[in-house]
Amino acid sequence: MKKTMKLMFALLVSASVSGHLHASQWSEVDNLIGQSQDVVDILDEGYRRIAGAGALVGTSIVGDDMLTGTFSYSNFGVIDYRQTLMDSGTLADYNNAMLAVENSTYSVSVQEYLNGQYIKSQEEFDAAIDTYVAAASIFAKAVKVNELAAAASASDNIQDARALQDYITNNNLGITSIMQDQYNTSIGDVEDAVQLYSAVAILKEDSTTVASIQSDADAASRDYIYADDAIYDGQAKTLAWGFTGPSGQTQYDMTRSVDMSAYVTNNLSTIRSAGTNDDFYNDGPTQNSCFFATAAELADPSNACYNGG
């Protein structure tokens, strides 16, 4: 008998709950983990013994009570017990633990919602940056082309000109319209992602506004466990989110919007100045003289790009 058992109890009792659980709620969940594990252990032992009995057909006959009996054994010096029959005590504890979780009230505050949105928007920003870097890689090689071309022009040396020619030939540097579109799209996506990321980051630290939103939610019995992902509107300069609440609960038929215009900057100098000392810029292809260093150069103590590797 070769059947694979998939233990589903752990999945059943570990359903995701958004937001923060209070200490008593964590205690209830922790208790359910232990009580459900007892049921899982019994179930696992039953499947294992039945599998063994089936595998032995034709060579051995299992004795009486070998599938139904409770047996003890030494587990690293500790006496442990294995049973296959579901006993009333174990099931009562399991049912009570599930009931305690079922009857608990799980809720999400405005602050907890924004904290979660901050993590999500940060991940989306990081992903957008990764996409931009990948799309920019072919254009980054223009830095090397520029460097080699300048060297060839300054030296008036045929060998430098050949080095430039070889670099172009060996690296397939032609730019296509697809590459152009991917790059331009990616930088636009970064703009969208960073706007949302920054808006959430600012709002979650604005205790006065958060408290006001929470007060409004409390008055309307509106739980932020039902809040949808936040969206930033660059034209309106607002951070907004809707709700997907339980059917018939009209307090969720609304959209909450927060004016973020006071934080918007259209000053290019401010943006460029902030970027000047940022690692993303200084480690990039236009500023990092070792960006194109080979592995051998990075590992060579005599090379200016040696990184200690």
Side-chain angles (χ1 to χ4, degrees), residues 40-54:
V40 169
D41 288 343
I42 295 173
L43 183 64
D44 179 73
E45 187 69 14
Y47 265 84
R48 186 169 184 173
R49 290 195 206 175
I50 291 172

Side-chain angles (χ1 to χ4, degrees), residues 45-285:
E45 187 69 14
Y47 265 84
R48 186 169 184 173
R49 290 195 206 175
I50 291 172
L56 292 173
V57 168
T59 59
S60 299
I61 303 171
V62 298
D64 286 351
D65 297 328
M66 291 306 298
L67 296 189
T68 60
T70 298
F71 296 91
S72 63
Y73 70 99
S74 177
N75 183 15
F76 296 103
V78 178
I79 300 300
D80 201 354
Y81 294 88
R82 283 288 182 263
Q83 66 188 73
T84 60
L85 301 183
M86 296 289 177
D87 64 277
S88 298
T90 297
L91 296 183
D93 290 341
Y94 175 56
N95 287 335
N96 289 335
M98 285 198 296
L99 186 62
V101 171
E102 186 177 5
N103 290 335
S104 290
T105 299
Y106 299 103
S107 62
V108 174
S109 69
V110 174
Q111 186 65 67
E112 290 163 347
Y113 165 74
L114 290 173
N115 290 344
Q117 289 294 295
Y118 174 76
I119 294 172
K120 185 175 186 296
S121 61
Q122 181 183 49
E123 292 172 346
E124 292 173 350
F125 173 63
D126 289 343
I129 288 293
D130 289 342
T131 300
Y132 169 75
V133 170
S137 61
I138 185 66
F139 298 94
K141 292 178 180 177
V143 175
K144 189 68 173 178
V145 170
N146 179 265
E147 176 187 311
L148 292 173
S153 176
S155 68
D156 199 25
N157 188 315
I158 191 65
Q159 296 302 322
D160 288 336
R162 286 294 301 272
L164 170 63
Q165 184 181 54
D166 289 345
Y167 184 77
I168 294 174
T169 301
N170 296 335
N171 286 278
N172 190 26
L173 299 182
I175 305 297
T176 67
S177 60
I178 293 177
M179 294 174 183
Q180 175 190 6
D181 290 342
Q182 288 175 335
Y183 177 83
N184 291 341
T185 298
S186 71
I187 199 167
D189 290 343
V190 170
E191 181 175 271
D192 291 340
V194 76
Q195 286 178 329
L196 175 61
Y197 180 29
S198 187
V200 174
I202 291 169
L203 182 57
K204 83 180 187 68
E205 298 300 327
D206 184 349
S207 59
T208 300
T209 302
V210 170
S212 176
I213 297 172
Q214 184 65 63
S215 178
D216 177 67
D218 292 342
S221 298
R222 190 179 300 118
D223 193 331
Y224 267 68
I225 196 171
Y226 299 114
D228 299 327
D229 286 337
I231 298 173
Y232 180 78
D233 186 330
Q235 293 295 314
K237 301 179 179 63
T238 57
L239 183 66
W241 55 88
F243 297 83
T244 304
S247 177
Q249 296 193 24
T250 57
Q251 70 268 35
Y252 295 106
D253 298 338
M254 57 90 71
T255 297
R256 181 72 198 220
S257 180
V258 180
D259 180 13
M260 303 299 294
S261 59
Y263 299 99
V264 175
T265 177
N266 290 304
N267 189 319
L268 182 59
S269 295
T270 297
I271 298 170
R272 296 183 80 248
S273 178
T276 300
N277 296 317
D278 189 83
D279 288 344
F280 180 73
Y281 177 60
N282 289 306
D283 291 341

